[in-house]
Amino acid sequence: IVWEAKEMPIDGIKVENNRISFVKEGTFHIRAKTGNVYSDWYEVKALPARKLNTIDIPKAVSIDYKNEQTVNLAALQINYKDQYGDDWTNIPTLTWTCAEEGATVENDVLTVPSAGTYTVTATGDGVTSNTMTITVTDSTIRVTAFKPETTALAYSGGSVEFVLTGTNLPNGITIKANDDIKAETIGTDKEQKAILNFPANTNTESIITYNIVNSLDVDKTVIVTVAKKPSGGSTSGGGGGSSKKFDIAIAE
């Protein structure tokens, strides 16, 4: 049995030793013969040569900034396909790109500056992948401010509300002036409040100073003072309804 092609080699088909090959895409016709017996012509379609068509990277990745600030892009599961949907094994060198300012990619490692959303793509052999969204959360507990409603009390003392603001704040943060003056906060993950009750100052010589601390951030402190007690009573001038009497002698 001998195979032959209807089209000429110049058209892109070649038959040698009963082996058919194609040098370009197109539709061709071949048949087999033995002696003077011929088969029908069979249509053969030569498709374009295989090439890398898609780079498929994960669509979504999530990390917690508290524990991770980088993503090893080389460790991701990546699929390569040709235009016919078959696996492509000639893996190209990838160039990674992140659109957000502040993020950097070096040696296939993405470093993010903070919590947020980052979009990443990979390019190899002129093919750009789908977009991967990297969601970076941050479970770190942070105190940004620690403030009282007042820092100075009259000698009689009183109550002062303290406010902690920040991120991921839990309930039950201890606000403390000393072992006897303390309270635990309640509120939201962004704002926590507690009230401390300060006793009166019985000292007439000096004020009382309290250094208020919180159990989350010992570097953020507040000073509250209680004024000294006034010494002695106050005097008042002027009448209280009584009048002075004057004796006048009239000469005879």
Side-chain angles (χ1 to χ4, degrees):
I1 296 175
V2 177
W3 289 90
E4 62 182 14
K6 179 187 292 187
E7 288 77 20
M8 300 295 292
I10 194 173
D11 295 321
I13 189 170
K14 187 176 181 181
V15 181
E16 284 185 335
N17 300 322
N18 278 355
R19 186 176 183 87
I20 303 170
S21 60
F22 306 90
V23 296
K24 63 180 179 179
E25 62 187 271
T27 300
F28 304 92
H29 301 83
I30 60 173
R31 69 179 179 181
K33 71 174 183 176
T34 178
N36 294 321
V37 180
Y38 296 84
S39 73
D40 295 332
W41 286 106
Y42 289 93
E43 183 178 285
V44 177
K45 182 175 289 187
L47 300 176
R50 294 180 67 220
K51 63 180 181 179
L52 177 63
N53 187 63
T54 60
I55 300 173
D56 185 24
I57 63 177
K59 293 181 175 59
V61 171
S62 298
I63 63 172
D64 184 347
Y65 191 80
K66 178 182 178 180
N67 304 314
E68 300 174 277
Q69 294 84 49
T70 62
V71 177
N72 184 2
L73 301 172
L76 298 175
Q77 179 64 47
I78 304 174
N79 296 314
Y80 303 86
K81 299 287 185 180
D82 65 14
Q83 70 269 43
Y84 306 114
D86 294 325
D87 290 335
W88 183 260
T89 56
N90 187 17
I91 307 302
T93 300
L94 295 180
T95 299
W96 295 90
T97 303
C98 183
E100 282 66 36
E101 185 176 354
T104 59
V105 180
E106 187 173 351
N107 296 326
D108 293 337
V109 175
L110 170 71
T111 301
V112 296
S114 62
T117 301
Y118 300 85
T119 52
V120 174
T121 56
T123 301
D125 286 353
V127 178
T128 299
S129 71
N130 58 294
T131 297
M132 174 172 61
T133 300
I134 300 178
T135 302
V136 183
T137 57
D138 191 354
S139 62
T140 304
I141 298 174
R142 290 189 178 90
V143 176
T144 55
F146 178 37
K147 295 180 180 180
E149 61 181 342
T150 183
T151 57
L153 293 172
Y155 80 94
S156 57
S159 298
V160 177
E161 183 178 67
F162 295 84
V163 179
L164 280 165
T165 55
T167 55
N168 302 310
L169 300 177
N171 286 328
I173 303 167
T174 300
I175 308 297
K176 180 178 177 181
N178 54 43
D179 289 339
D180 297 323
I181 306 174
K182 61 183 178 180
E184 291 188 347
T185 64
I186 191 169
T188 68
D189 63 341
K190 294 182 175 58
E191 183 180 82
Q192 290 283 311
K193 297 181 179 181
I195 295 175
L196 296 187
N197 297 308
F198 296 88
N201 184 4
T202 59
N203 192 330
T204 60
E205 299 297 328
S206 62
I207 65 173
I208 298 178
T209 300
Y210 294 94
N211 186 40
I212 317 301
V213 297
N214 72 86
S215 59
L216 268 188
D217 191 339
V218 295
D219 293 328
K220 289 183 172 58
T221 61
V222 174
I223 299 295
V224 173
T225 61
V226 179
K228 65 181 180 179
K229 182 179 180 180
S231 59
S234 59
T235 58
S236 60
S242 62
S243 59
K244 292 183 178 181
K245 294 182 180 180
F246 296 91
D247 294 329
I248 300 175
I250 300 176
E252 295 181 354

